[in-house]
Amino acid sequence: MALQLYDKQFDSRLLLGTAAYPNPEVLRAAVRKAQPAMITVALRRQTASSAEHGRGLWGLLQELALPILPNTAGCLSVEEAVTTAQMAREVFETDWIKLELIGDDDTLQPDVFQLVQAADILIKAGFKVLPYCTEDLIVCRRLLDVGCQALMPWAAPIGTGLGPVHEYALHVLRERLPDIPLLVDAGLGLPSHAAKVMEWGFDGVLLNTAVSRSGYPVMMAEAFAQAVNAGRLAYEAEPVVPRHNAQASTPQIGQPFWHYPEYE
């Protein structure tokens, strides 16, 4: 099944960031290997860069011809985030926005109180908001209450590569919001991390540092793309339930295969 976010369907369940690659050629090759659903761009970081760099990135984005998801990285207040989102809509001609509103410089943890306020304003202004949030169930419910139709809970602090730190909370979130698209954003470091959260039933992942700062970003982009697909396929295949006691795989002599009428 395709990934459904708001009113749009995507073939891929991987979203890929565009920051911190060694050079544009590596970014181009990594994106082409991964074939992500969307690529993210931080407007504030690009406008702070040189004009030449900005033109080069914009040209590359146009060449890649993939949906762009601008984000509000670096924003510390509701006003900053809303203004940045409005600028991004004009620059990139899209109503999609990844809403980031940071509350702590060391962990880059989202300021969930201001996040809900900003999401409310942007939803009412016609944006399709994908909020970068924690795995807190109550926070996620508040974001849904103001109109967000998909959420992006973190696995661990941005750029750490630790993988899912609070597994219990992520499981609870998935179980309590079964019909809401949940994309794990931030903190994944290995393809196995991505496969794990996809096996748990999460709908997708967003990556940047794990790919862009790896030794071979193009190879890592391909590895993550395969891991996301494998994890989703495993989830849809309905894995066996873990158990503490052994169970023979062939309990009855003469019946090595279970009976599956659909394969007769």
Side-chain angles (χ1 to χ4, degrees), residues 237-254:
E238 300 181 5
V240 297
V241 178
R243 50 184 293 146
H244 293 291
N245 298 324
Q247 182 179 29
S249 58
T250 53
Q252 298 182 22
I253 297 176

Side-chain angles (χ1 to χ4, degrees), residues 101-125:
L101 224 164
I102 302 303
D104 181 79
D105 290 337
D106 291 330
T107 64
L108 300 180
Q109 182 168 338
D111 183 330
V112 295
F113 302 100
Q114 293 197 93
L115 187 66
V116 174
Q117 295 178 46
D120 187 23
I121 293 170
L122 292 173
I123 289 288
K124 289 175 179 175

